[in-house]
Amino acid sequence: MAEKISGMSEQKISENELETVRKESYAAARQLLNEADLDEGDILVIGCSTSEVGGEKIGRYSSPELGQAVWEGISQAAEEKGVCLAAQCCEHLNRALIVERKTAKAYGLEEVCVVPKPKAGGSFATAAWNSFQEPTAVEHIRAHAGIDIGDTLIGMHLRDVAVPVRIAQKFIGEARVVCARTRPKLIGGERAVYQ
């Protein structure tokens, strides 16, 4: 298990702790992207509880600093691979997603009117909103792969057949990391031929 981030609720998080979170986030995203074999332009959905990253109970201590650190690590890995990111908001925004407007247009996603904030949407989604060139919110997405940081339940935003991906990076901060890729459905029965 990861080492608890010291005194998060009492004092500011140190730059060393933030750098560790950046590196862990990058490592998790890089490992999933290597295993999932995504194509350029595919969508990677991320759900992240910064409360859990900091060693607190989900929804109890949203941290903009941790949200930004996780975002920086993951977005670096996504940019290197050329995949599109979707940042899942918290339950207070019905787990809406923050994406680049060009991603919404490319996938025919219906935009909704909302701007995430640390206590209504979450610190990670807020970091995504502040970092994207043209951010927009959408309600639904069918992502090709996903990373769940701190038990945020991203399954509703994955394509139908999700396959667990085991990576070496089991934690970001103190939050558990669970990854998945998706694959096309196998249809047609016993006469079917599959690639």
Side-chain angles (χ1 to χ4, degrees), residues 7-22:
M8 187 173 108
S9 55
E10 295 104 31
Q11 62 189 17
K12 195 157 179 69
I13 302 157
S14 76
E15 187 52 46
N16 285 343
E17 291 167 326
L18 292 173
E19 185 57 28
T20 297
V21 166
R22 272 186 211 96

PDB file of all heavy atoms in Angstrom, residues 7-22:
ATOM      1  N   GLY A   7      -0.496  14.606   6.726  1.00  0.00           N
ATOM      2  CA  GLY A   7      -1.228  15.770   7.206  1.00  0.00           C
ATOM      3  C   GLY A   7      -1.999  16.533   6.151  1.00  0.00           C
ATOM      4  O   GLY A   7      -2.076  17.748   6.217  1.00  0.00           O
ATOM      5  N   MET A   8      -2.560  15.854   5.164  1.00  0.00           N
ATOM      6  CA  MET A   8      -3.209  16.558   4.072  1.00  0.00           C
ATOM      7  C   MET A   8      -4.288  17.507   4.568  1.00  0.00           C
ATOM      8  O   MET A   8      -4.400  18.623   4.104  1.00  0.00           O
ATOM      9  CB  MET A   8      -3.820  15.564   3.090  1.00  0.00           C
ATOM     10  CG  MET A   8      -4.359  16.239   1.869  1.00  0.00           C
ATOM     11  SD  MET A   8      -4.874  15.051   0.680  1.00  0.00           S
ATOM     12  CE  MET A   8      -6.617  15.240   0.810  1.00  0.00           C
ATOM     13  N   SER A   9      -5.080  17.072   5.528  1.00  0.00           N
ATOM     14  CA  SER A   9      -6.167  17.926   5.963  1.00  0.00           C
ATOM     15  C   SER A   9      -5.710  19.067   6.860  1.00  0.00           C
ATOM     16  O   SER A   9      -6.431  20.015   7.056  1.00  0.00           O
ATOM     17  CB  SER A   9      -7.238  17.092   6.667  1.00  0.00           C
ATOM     18  OG  SER A   9      -6.665  16.353   7.708  1.00  0.00           O
ATOM     19  N   GLU A  10      -4.485  18.988   7.379  1.00  0.00           N
ATOM     20  CA  GLU A  10      -4.019  20.060   8.262  1.00  0.00           C
ATOM     21  C   GLU A  10      -3.096  21.063   7.578  1.00  0.00           C
ATOM     22  O   GLU A  10      -2.996  22.191   7.996  1.00  0.00           O
ATOM     23  CB  GLU A  10      -3.253  19.473   9.456  1.00  0.00           C
ATOM     24  CG  GLU A  10      -4.091  18.620  10.376  1.00  0.00           C
ATOM     25  CD  GLU A  10      -3.842  17.150  10.179  1.00  0.00           C
ATOM     26  OE1 GLU A  10      -2.713  16.759   9.829  1.00  0.00           O
ATOM     27  OE2 GLU A  10      -4.792  16.381  10.369  1.00  0.00           O
ATOM     28  N   GLN A  11      -2.375  20.635   6.530  1.00  0.00           N
ATOM     29  CA  GLN A  11      -1.395  21.540   5.930  1.00  0.00           C
ATOM     30  C   GLN A  11      -1.298  21.310   4.430  1.00  0.00           C
ATOM     31  O   GLN A  11      -1.835  20.360   3.901  1.00  0.00           O
ATOM     32  CB  GLN A  11      -0.028  21.323   6.576  1.00  0.00           C
ATOM     33  CG  GLN A  11       0.521  19.917   6.373  1.00  0.00           C
ATOM     34  CD  GLN A  11       1.754  19.659   7.194  1.00  0.00           C
ATOM     35  OE1 GLN A  11       2.042  20.367   8.128  1.00  0.00           O
ATOM     36  NE2 GLN A  11       2.498  18.634   6.842  1.00  0.00           N
ATOM     37  N   LYS A  12      -0.614  22.205   3.782  1.00  0.00           N
ATOM     38  CA  LYS A  12      -0.436  22.116   2.336  1.00  0.00           C
ATOM     39  C   LYS A  12       0.419  20.903   1.989  1.00  0.00           C
ATOM     40  O   LYS A  12       1.321  20.538   2.710  1.00  0.00           O
ATOM     41  CB  LYS A  12       0.249  23.402   1.853  1.00  0.00           C
ATOM     42  CG  LYS A  12       0.183  23.602   0.367  1.00  0.00           C
ATOM     43  CD  LYS A  12       0.356  25.077   0.070  1.00  0.00           C
ATOM     44  CE  LYS A  12       0.336  25.346  -1.398  1.00  0.00           C
ATOM     45  NZ  LYS A  12      -0.929  25.152  -2.033  1.00  0.00           N
ATOM     46  N   ILE A  13       0.105  20.289   0.863  1.00  0.00           N
ATOM     47  CA  ILE A  13       0.839  19.123   0.399  1.00  0.00           C
ATOM     48  C   ILE A  13       2.184  19.582  -0.149  1.00  0.00           C
ATOM     49  O   ILE A  13       2.251  20.556  -0.892  1.00  0.00           O
ATOM     50  CB  ILE A  13       0.017  18.393  -0.678  1.00  0.00           C
ATOM     51  CG1 ILE A  13      -1.334  18.002  -0.087  1.00  0.00           C
ATOM     52  CG2 ILE A  13       0.750  17.175  -1.193  1.00  0.00           C
ATOM     53  CD1 ILE A  13      -2.401  17.799  -1.098  1.00  0.00           C
ATOM     54  N   SER A  14       3.245  18.874   0.185  1.00  0.00           N
ATOM     55  CA  SER A  14       4.580  19.290  -0.244  1.00  0.00           C
ATOM     56  C   SER A  14       4.774  19.053  -1.736  1.00  0.00           C
ATOM     57  O   SER A  14       4.111  18.200  -2.346  1.00  0.00           O
ATOM     58  CB  SER A  14       5.656  18.531   0.538  1.00  0.00           C
ATOM     59  OG  SER A  14       5.771  17.215   0.053  1.00  0.00           O
ATOM     60  N   GLU A  15       5.706  19.779  -2.324  1.00  0.00           N
ATOM     61  CA  GLU A  15       6.024  19.607  -3.743  1.00  0.00           C
ATOM     62  C   GLU A  15       6.556  18.204  -4.003  1.00  0.00           C
ATOM     63  O   GLU A  15       6.279  17.618  -5.059  1.00  0.00           O
ATOM     64  CB  GLU A  15       7.025  20.671  -4.209  1.00  0.00           C
ATOM     65  CG  GLU A  15       7.279  20.652  -5.702  1.00  0.00           C
ATOM     66  CD  GLU A  15       6.016  20.689  -6.572  1.00  0.00           C
ATOM     67  OE1 GLU A  15       5.105  21.492  -6.309  1.00  0.00           O
ATOM     68  OE2 GLU A  15       5.935  19.892  -7.535  1.00  0.00           O
ATOM     69  N   ASN A  16       7.296  17.635  -3.064  1.00  0.00           N
ATOM     70  CA  ASN A  16       7.787  16.257  -3.225  1.00  0.00           C
ATOM     71  C   ASN A  16       6.632  15.264  -3.307  1.00  0.00           C
ATOM     72  O   ASN A  16       6.654  14.344  -4.119  1.00  0.00           O
ATOM     73  CB  ASN A  16       8.720  15.868  -2.074  1.00  0.00           C
ATOM     74  CG  ASN A  16      10.083  16.505  -2.194  1.00  0.00           C
ATOM     75  OD1 ASN A  16      10.463  16.981  -3.262  1.00  0.00           O
ATOM     76  ND2 ASN A  16      10.816  16.521  -1.098  1.00  0.00           N
ATOM     77  N   GLU A  17       5.616  15.449  -2.454  1.00  0.00           N
ATOM     78  CA  GLU A  17       4.439  14.575  -2.492  1.00  0.00           C
ATOM     79  C   GLU A  17       3.680  14.743  -3.804  1.00  0.00           C
ATOM     80  O   GLU A  17       3.246  13.754  -4.406  1.00  0.00           O
ATOM     81  CB  GLU A  17       3.531  14.866  -1.296  1.00  0.00           C
ATOM     82  CG  GLU A  17       4.153  14.436   0.022  1.00  0.00           C
ATOM     83  CD  GLU A  17       3.430  14.979   1.242  1.00  0.00           C
ATOM     84  OE1 GLU A  17       2.900  16.110   1.186  1.00  0.00           O
ATOM     85  OE2 GLU A  17       3.412  14.265   2.250  1.00  0.00           O
ATOM     86  N   LEU A  18       3.545  15.969  -4.273  1.00  0.00           N
ATOM     87  CA  LEU A  18       2.863  16.209  -5.549  1.00  0.00           C
ATOM     88  C   LEU A  18       3.641  15.583  -6.708  1.00  0.00           C
ATOM     89  O   LEU A  18       3.038  15.007  -7.617  1.00  0.00           O
ATOM     90  CB  LEU A  18       2.660  17.706  -5.776  1.00  0.00           C
ATOM     91  CG  LEU A  18       1.663  18.391  -4.837  1.00  0.00           C
ATOM     92  CD1 LEU A  18       1.678  19.898  -5.050  1.00  0.00           C
ATOM     93  CD2 LEU A  18       0.258  17.823  -5.013  1.00  0.00           C
ATOM     94  N   GLU A  19       4.956  15.680  -6.671  1.00  0.00           N
ATOM     95  CA  GLU A  19       5.773  15.092  -7.733  1.00  0.00           C
ATOM     96  C   GLU A  19       5.649  13.566  -7.732  1.00  0.00           C
ATOM     97  O   GLU A  19       5.592  12.935  -8.793  1.00  0.00           O
ATOM     98  CB  GLU A  19       7.243  15.508  -7.585  1.00  0.00           C
ATOM     99  CG  GLU A  19       8.130  15.027  -8.711  1.00  0.00           C
ATOM    100  CD  GLU A  19       7.680  15.482 -10.101  1.00  0.00           C
ATOM    101  OE1 GLU A  19       7.048  16.544 -10.234  1.00  0.00           O
ATOM    102  OE2 GLU A  19       7.968  14.750 -11.081  1.00  0.00           O
ATOM    103  N   THR A  20       5.565  12.968  -6.552  1.00  0.00           N
ATOM    104  CA  THR A  20       5.357  11.519  -6.462  1.00  0.00           C
ATOM    105  C   THR A  20       4.025  11.137  -7.092  1.00  0.00           C
ATOM    106  O   THR A  20       3.934  10.177  -7.856  1.00  0.00           O
ATOM    107  CB  THR A  20       5.414  11.060  -4.986  1.00  0.00           C
ATOM    108  OG1 THR A  20       6.722  11.332  -4.479  1.00  0.00           O
ATOM    109  CG2 THR A  20       5.098   9.584  -4.847  1.00  0.00           C
ATOM    110  N   VAL A  21       2.980  11.905  -6.805  1.00  0.00           N
ATOM    111  CA  VAL A  21       1.657  11.643  -7.379  1.00  0.00           C
ATOM    112  C   VAL A  21       1.693  11.809  -8.897  1.00  0.00           C
ATOM    113  O   VAL A  21       1.110  11.000  -9.627  1.00  0.00           O
ATOM    114  CB  VAL A  21       0.592  12.552  -6.722  1.00  0.00           C
ATOM    115  CG1 VAL A  21      -0.708  12.555  -7.510  1.00  0.00           C
ATOM    116  CG2 VAL A  21       0.356  12.114  -5.270  1.00  0.00           C
ATOM    117  N   ARG A  22       2.387  12.825  -9.403  1.00  0.00           N
ATOM    118  CA  ARG A  22       2.527  13.005 -10.861  1.00  0.00           C
ATOM    119  C   ARG A  22       3.170  11.776 -11.495  1.00  0.00           C
ATOM    120  O   ARG A  22       2.708  11.266 -12.512  1.00  0.00           O
ATOM    121  CB  ARG A  22       3.400  14.225 -11.173  1.00  0.00           C
ATOM    122  CG  ARG A  22       2.684  15.520 -11.258  1.00  0.00           C
ATOM    123  CD  ARG A  22       3.623  16.654 -11.727  1.00  0.00           C
ATOM    124  NE  ARG A  22       3.174  17.881 -11.124  1.00  0.00           N
ATOM    125  CZ  ARG A  22       3.646  18.422 -10.003  1.00  0.00           C
ATOM    126  NH1 ARG A  22       4.656  17.881  -9.356  1.00  0.00           N
ATOM    127  NH2 ARG A  22       3.123  19.527  -9.528  1.00  0.00           N
TER     128      ARG A  22
END
